[in-house]
Structures are given as C-alpha cells and as structure tokens.
Amino acid sequence: KYRVPDAVAATLATMDPRDDGAHYDWELFDRDPLTVDIKRMVVEHFAPEAARRGISVRQATKATPRRWAMVVALMGAFFGTLPAYVAGRWWALPCTPTLAWVVIANYWHDGLHFSLSCDWRVNALLPYLFPWLSSPWLWYHQHVIGHHCYTNVAHKDPDLAHAPQLMREHASVKWRPAHATQKHWTRVLLIWSVAVGAGLQILSDVRANMRGTYNNAVAFKTMERARFHAHTLGRALYVFSLFVWPWFALPPLKAFVWSVFPIVLFSWHFMLNSQINHLTAETAHASDPSFFRHQIVTAQDFGTQSWWCYFFSGGLNMQIEHHMFPCINHCHLPALQVKVQALCAKHGVPY
C-alpha cells in the first residue's frame, strides 16, 4: 500500500552520479512463482498463531510475550552489572559490553526494523536506551533505507563504502594501492576495533550531517533544529558515557583501559556477527531483478542449527530470512528458515 507511483519512482535515484536509478523489476516480482509461494507460506505460518492468540496476522509477526520477557531479563542483567562497571571491577570490563551487545542484538535491531511491536512509538523509542551501536536516526538511513533495499548493489548500498580508503570488498570501490595489504591481520584488527566507536558512531554521523548523504548512496534527511540539537546532545552523551567519565572516576591506567577496551570489544562482537553475512565470494556480486531472489542470493546464513549463533547474533545468523522479512521479529526466523530453504530448492534459487 506504500508503493510509490511509477511516475514518481522514475525520478528517484541515489546520490551517486553513476547510479542508473533502477534495479528491480516489480512486475517480474509480482508474477514470480517464488513470490507467490513465499507470500502464501508466510500467511499460512502466522495465521494459526494469530487465531490462537486472538490477534491479527501482522501482530503475530512481532515479538512474542516470551521474547519480551527475554529482552527485559537481558536488560536487567546489563543494568545489574553497571555499578560494578562504574566502580572499576575487572570482571565487569568484558561482561558489561558483551551484555550490551547481546541486548542490542536481541531487541535494538528488531525495533528499528519495526518488528518489536505494531506500535511505532515502541519501535522508535526503545532503541534510545542502548545507542552503543549507532544513533537510531543514522541507522534508519544506513541500514533500513540503504542496505536493506539495495543489498550489495553498486553505488546504492552504503555498506559497500564504509572505509574505501582502507578496505575494498566490492568491485564498485575504486582500487587504491593501500588495498594491496588489506588482508593482513593488523589491518583487519584495526578496522574491527574502530568500526563502531570511531566509525559508525562519530565519523559516519558527522559526515552524513555535513554532506547530506550517507556514503554517497542515501540522501540524509535534514533534521529540524530542535531534533538536530537533541541529536547532537545524544552524541555528546555517548562520547561522555564511553570515553570521558572514566578519567574522572578511575585511576589513570584503569581510565585508559575503560575508555578503550569496552567499545573495542563491543565492536568485535558486532563485526564478528555481521561481516560474513553479505561480503563473501558467493554473495558479494550476486544480483537478481526480482526482490526476494535478490535478497536470497546476496545474503548468507550461518550456524542455523546452533542455539549460540542464533542467540549471540540476535538472529543475524539467519540473514537470508531477515532480509526477506525485515519487519518480522527474529524470534520467528528459525521456523521460517526451514520453509524458505525448501522453497529455494523448489524454485532453483541458490541458498
């Protein structure tokens, strides 16, 4: 029901001048037998649960009461470690940022995909409790609008050009001499260490607000003055809460460790669970004009039979299903994964 009229769609393009303004064939998508089967499968999957609970099919796709209980329990565990973390207890140094990642992976990502609740206020407000990964405002542009719509599409997916000076993971990025040594473990370790704290949280945010684009791929919406001030205050609070306060509360050596190691560890957790999802030999340059097929061939699942992979990644290990159904809470993905894999086998789609 939110489909943009064809006359308007023809005028839309991303910010890169090399963008041709097109990719998907929506008429092909509508008549694709895979599309028909997927839509039928999803309705048949959620209809019994909706009937059992007396709710709509759409409501049945969001977080279940059991999922909400788990999220609250994880939040309680995280906040329970904060007094020890602030007091400089060594056991809390790895524990608090790891719990922060687990909490964010299991609710924050879902909220910003509108899959926690049917109430937009719940989805919009709760992510501000844990802004460790990114400003929610920035994440909407980079991840929800850019990456999910045009996964691995040159000059349209902003995730292909996060640090082109350091890494080249797609043919659309111009080769530089620095890329000749990009596989060395020291380069990888450096990028994994600063990806969140310096990258997503600070550099990408400042650059997007100054240029009006995210990685030259997504037009960045100008914020009203009040929201811009609130956003700036939020960024300042983030910097203070991670990098500044230890120097007022802890001895110098501990202050240095506390201001560096937690966000580095958090960044490793994020990169470990996100970098094998799309940029692999089989998926990086895959493409298809039919939307579902494109999302399948450009994504990769991992550890689908592992409870730990599912829990620690917040369902990111089922990346194919997440990209097909981003508005469905990830607690439903294990059951859908088996059905999607069977449909791919039926229609000859590489999975």
Side-chain angles (χ1 to χ4, degrees):
K1 68 180 180 180
Y2 299 112
R3 182 167 177 165
V4 177
D6 291 341
V8 176
T11 68
L12 301 177
T14 53
M15 303 305 296
D16 193 297
R18 294 165 294 187
D19 175 26
D20 61 4
H23 182 74
Y24 298 114
D25 182 337
W26 292 106
E27 292 185 1
L28 170 65
F29 171 79
D30 288 337
R31 65 175 186 270
D32 188 340
L34 177 65
T35 301
V36 176
D37 277 356
I38 287 173
K39 290 182 177 181
R40 182 186 301 116
M41 178 271 288
V42 171
V43 173
E44 291 177 351
H45 178 85
F46 286 104
E49 176 68 7
R52 184 184 71 82
R53 295 171 57 191
I55 57 178
S56 68
V57 170
R58 179 167 172 258
Q59 288 173 317
T61 66
K62 307 307 179 184
T64 62
R66 183 176 180 180
R67 169 60 46 172
W68 276 110
M70 177 184 175
V71 169
V72 171
L74 288 173
M75 286 184 177
F78 168 80
F79 286 114
T81 68
L82 278 184
Y85 177 75
V86 173
R89 301 286 186 267
W90 287 105
W91 67 264
L93 182 64
C95 186
T96 300
T98 298
L99 280 172
W101 160 253
V102 171
V103 173
I104 287 173
N106 281 280
Y107 103 92
W108 191 91
H109 181 228
D110 286 324
L112 294 177
H113 275 296
F114 327 114
S115 67
L116 271 182
S117 167
C118 285
D119 188 332
W120 70 268
R121 289 168 290 252
V122 173
N123 295 318
L125 295 176
L126 281 183
Y128 282 92
L129 288 176
F130 285 83
W132 271 38
L133 180 56
S134 165
S135 150
W137 184 251
L138 198 76
W139 191 258
Y140 283 133
H141 288 77
Q142 172 223 330
H143 186 75
V144 181
I145 299 172
H147 171 65
H148 265 263
C149 292
Y150 293 107
T151 313
N152 287 6
V153 178
H155 317 307
K156 295 189 178 187
D157 183 354
D159 281 4
L160 299 179
H162 272 305
Q165 302 84 358
L166 297 173
M167 295 289 286
R168 183 176 187 255
E169 299 171 301
H170 194 271
S172 61
V173 176
K174 181 181 178 181
W175 187 85
R176 294 171 169 86
H179 296 146
T181 58
Q182 70 175 20
K183 289 184 178 181
H184 196 275
W185 69 269
T186 55
R187 177 80 62 86
V188 176
L189 184 63
L190 171 65
I191 293 174
W192 279 38
S193 298
V194 303
V196 173
L200 285 175
Q201 285 284 12
I202 299 175
L203 293 178
S204 294
D205 199 295
V206 172
R207 206 163 47 209
N209 278 287
M210 289 181 65
R211 296 179 179 176
T213 69
Y214 193 97
N215 286 357
N216 205 31
V218 180
F220 198 75
K221 186 181 185 302
T222 303
M223 288 182 266
E224 298 80 6
R225 179 174 296 181
R227 179 154 194 172
F228 178 76
H229 290 322
H231 178 82
T232 304
L233 176 61
R235 298 296 82 214
L237 289 173
Y238 164 79
V239 171
F240 179 84
S241 67
L242 259 71
F243 306 114
V244 178
W245 75 265
W247 297 97
F248 294 95
L250 303 173
L253 179 58
K254 266 194 174 181
F256 175 77
V257 173
W258 253 250
S259 62
V260 174
F261 182 76
I263 193 60
V264 168
L265 180 60
F266 180 91
S267 187
W268 290 347
H269 291 330
F270 168 68
M271 298 295 279
L272 179 67
N273 288 287
S274 64
Q275 296 308 290
I276 58 175
N277 295 340
H278 298 289
L279 298 175
T280 66
E282 295 80 8
T283 63
H285 295 92
S287 183
D288 197 285
S290 184
F291 183 79
F292 277 143
R293 292 175 185 262
H294 181 86
Q295 298 303 331
I296 294 167
V297 299
T298 57
Q300 173 175 279
D301 285 6
F302 63 92
T304 56
Q305 304 303 311
S306 167
W307 174 87
W308 173 252
C309 287
Y310 169 71
F311 170 74
F312 194 66
S313 72
L316 293 180
N317 67 317
M318 298 182 188
Q319 193 71 190
I320 293 172
E321 291 70 31
H322 169 59
H323 266 253
M324 295 173 71
F325 318 117
C327 294
I328 292 178
N329 191 273
H330 83 268
C331 67
H332 302 292
L333 296 186
L336 293 175
Q337 185 267 330
V338 179
K339 298 180 179 182
V340 169
Q341 191 171 15
L343 288 179
C344 287
K346 174 183 176 182
H347 291 278
V349 180
Y351 184 94

